[in-house]
Amino acid sequence: MCGDCVKEEFPERESICLENGSYLLNYAGCKNCGARSIEIKNRVTSDDEEEELVTYQHICSQCDHVVANHEYSFRVNGEYQEYEMSCMLCGNGEDQRSIMPYDPRGPQT
């Protein structure tokens, strides 16, 4: 992972959790070649009864420099779906949603 390629390392993204994609507003450009284009490579999905985990790398499309490693997870915990994301480029985020038609906790802000 490369802190020189991002504007801010692990920005706080609140409830935003990306299973796929890149937070390009945080990409400063490749420290090796200066390119501003990025690709997703080495995507791996593991799914068991407890959790779905997706990992991949953000790679400079010109020189294959690894910008960041991205991790996303999804699990059902009781009556709630839980999402988490951790990535130097995309940031940290987590969210929890009720599986019921109406969330017993009330509206989420």
Side-chain angles (χ1 to χ4, degrees):
M1 297 191 311
C2 183
D4 294 331
C5 295
V6 298
K7 295 175 184 175
E8 178 183 354
E9 292 183 19
F10 297 98
E12 183 55 46
R13 300 295 303 279
E14 297 181 13
S15 64
I16 295 173
C17 297
L18 303 173
E19 179 180 353
N20 194 20
S22 305
Y23 182 39
L24 294 177
L25 290 175
N26 193 38
Y27 185 47
C30 179
K31 75 163 188 147
N32 286 348
C33 70
R36 298 222 1 110
S37 56
I38 198 166
E39 294 179 352
I40 292 173
K41 290 189 177 178
N42 305 318
R43 182 182 165 101
V44 176
T45 301
S46 64
D47 194 3
D48 61 32
E49 292 181 21
E50 305 276 322
E51 179 178 51
E52 176 187 13
L53 181 63
V54 177
T55 60
Y56 56 87
Q57 292 181 311
H58 298 283
I59 308 272
C60 173
S61 61
Q62 299 299 311
C63 71
D64 288 334
H65 173 70
V66 177
V67 175
N69 295 317
H70 188 104
E71 293 183 9
Y72 164 88
S73 68
F74 167 79
R75 73 185 70 70
V76 175
N77 185 3
E79 295 185 356
Y80 294 93
Q81 296 175 334
E82 297 177 343
Y83 306 86
E84 292 182 7
M85 172 185 75
S86 180
C87 176
M88 183 182 290
L89 174 67
C90 299
N92 292 322
E94 59 183 47
D95 195 14
Q96 185 182 63
R97 300 291 172 162
S98 175
I99 62 173
M100 306 303 288
Y102 298 101
D103 193 333
R105 300 172 299 184
Q108 301 295 304
T109 56

